[in-house]
Amino acid sequence: SSSSSSSSSSSSSSTTDENSDNPEINVKALPSQLRTTIQKRSNVVTNPEDRRRWDKWLIAGNRQKVFPPSNNDTRISSGGEKRPALIQELCNKREFQFAYRSYANVEEANAICRPFYNWQWFKFMMVKPGRMRFSYADQEEAAEASAAGTSNRNTLAHVTNSEHFRLGLCVPLTIQWWGNISTRKGANNKDMYYIEWTKTQMRLSLLGGLKKVVKDNPAVCQKLSALPWGICAYDDGMIGFKRGDIGYLAYDSKFDGRKN
């Protein structure tokens, strides 16, 4: 899951920008190593030392920044369009699964308890990790994403983020986010890639699916999506985001190397 839970705690102290002055932060774990730290049953990283390794990767990536390319650092797509290399990478891989975040939310705490079959089953539970999808802003396949929110000439790609939860034992809850990738001024007054979220939607399935409840832009989701996500790292199909001053998140296009 990403950041769309009903509440969140403060960022862990190990993920603050001040820690980036620590030389040990620059010793990054490889994405292939980080993938093996995600527990299959809970879909979260529970080991404190493993979490520190994730934090180091994200913070070290944030120090290096992912800047929009110059005109000489673009690729020609199969259709002949000239696109930024990172945008092509994201849209060609298309789907990324939530892997990690540096701060803990309610559904993550519940997911850790999930294998033990306790009273947490009756609360707000993450059913499966969130999925993020990217599509080119100028292609027909992006029409739905564009219609879901505002798009402008500076939009480089469209993003959708789907998250699946359960209320109690039998009420499925889906939260959908729509957004655009564009550039804006970041650190040192340089342009950086950012996701600006433009719309959210909550869907409930009641009475065994006989009744559907759909609510656009619910207040709690709008509050969570108000902060843009800066793209701070990308390596080996894994992408890192900095969510304002809240903390870091990581999504992965290779989600098959997990622990039992």
Side-chain angles (χ1 to χ4, degrees):
S1 144
S2 74
S3 62
S4 61
S5 72
S6 57
S7 64
S8 65
S9 66
S10 60
S11 311
S12 63
S13 59
S14 62
T15 60
T16 59
D17 286 337
E18 287 79 3
N19 284 345
S20 61
D21 294 331
N22 186 338
E24 293 184 359
I25 292 295
N26 294 318
V27 182
K28 295 192 299 181
L30 297 174
S32 59
Q33 297 170 326
L34 296 175
R35 290 182 182 108
T36 64
T37 68
I38 304 173
Q39 299 289 336
K40 280 187 175 181
R41 290 191 296 178
S42 64
N43 291 310
V44 294
V45 181
T46 57
N47 183 283
E49 182 58 36
D50 289 337
R51 294 186 65 84
R52 283 192 286 270
R53 294 169 67 197
W54 278 92
D55 294 342
K56 288 179 181 181
W57 183 79
L58 287 162
I59 294 173
N62 189 48
R63 285 172 61 92
Q64 298 171 6
K65 307 294 183 185
V66 180
F67 294 115
S70 65
N71 290 333
N72 295 325
D73 191 18
T74 57
R75 297 179 185 173
I76 305 300
S77 69
S78 58
E81 300 89 350
K82 192 175 184 181
R83 305 184 191 276
L86 178 61
I87 300 302
Q88 281 210 54
E89 282 279 328
L90 299 179
C91 293
N92 289 344
K93 293 184 182 300
R94 293 184 58 85
E95 187 172 73
F96 291 70
Q97 180 169 290
F98 170 78
Y100 175 79
R101 62 181 157 202
S102 63
Y103 52 99
N105 276 358
V106 172
E107 78 270 19
E108 286 181 307
N110 292 348
I112 293 173
C113 298
R114 182 177 179 178
F116 304 105
Y117 299 100
N118 60 15
W119 59 274
Q120 295 285 359
W121 274 98
F122 297 93
K123 296 178 64 177
F124 186 70
M125 294 287 297
M126 178 179 67
V127 175
K128 58 183 179 181
R131 296 289 178 91
M132 185 176 288
R133 295 176 177 84
F134 298 88
S135 56
Y136 292 122
D138 56 352
Q139 291 187 342
E140 292 183 4
E141 64 185 17
E144 180 183 354
S146 178
T150 58
S151 183
N152 55 57
R153 62 185 179 86
N154 297 320
T155 298
L156 299 172
H158 294 294
V159 189
T160 60
N161 190 21
S162 302
E163 300 179 318
H164 302 273
F165 306 97
R166 186 177 58 249
L167 296 175
L169 290 175
C170 57
V171 180
L173 168 66
T174 301
I175 296 176
Q176 185 94 0
W177 300 38
W178 288 268
N180 303 319
I181 295 182
S182 57
T183 60
R184 57 183 289 184
K185 296 296 181 183
N188 301 321
N189 204 35
K190 292 185 178 181
D191 286 337
M192 290 185 63
Y193 291 116
Y194 277 85
I195 297 178
E196 298 275 359
W197 300 107
T198 58
K199 179 183 176 181
T200 59
Q201 185 181 83
M202 181 175 65
R203 297 192 294 270
L204 280 168
S205 180
L206 304 174
L207 303 176
L210 297 177
K211 182 179 180 180
K212 305 287 186 180
V213 177
V214 178
K215 183 174 179 59
D216 288 337
N217 299 319
V220 63
C221 295
Q222 286 299 94
K223 181 179 180 180
L224 291 168
S225 64
L227 288 174
W229 292 13
I231 299 178
C232 65
Y234 184 80
D235 186 21
D236 190 26
M238 186 179 289
I239 186 169
F241 301 100
K242 189 172 189 295
R243 182 180 169 231
D245 294 328
I246 303 299
Y248 294 88
L249 304 97
Y251 281 71
D252 189 17
S253 63
K254 303 176 182 180
F255 28 92
D256 56 357
R258 301 186 169 188
K259 286 183 177 181
N260 293 321

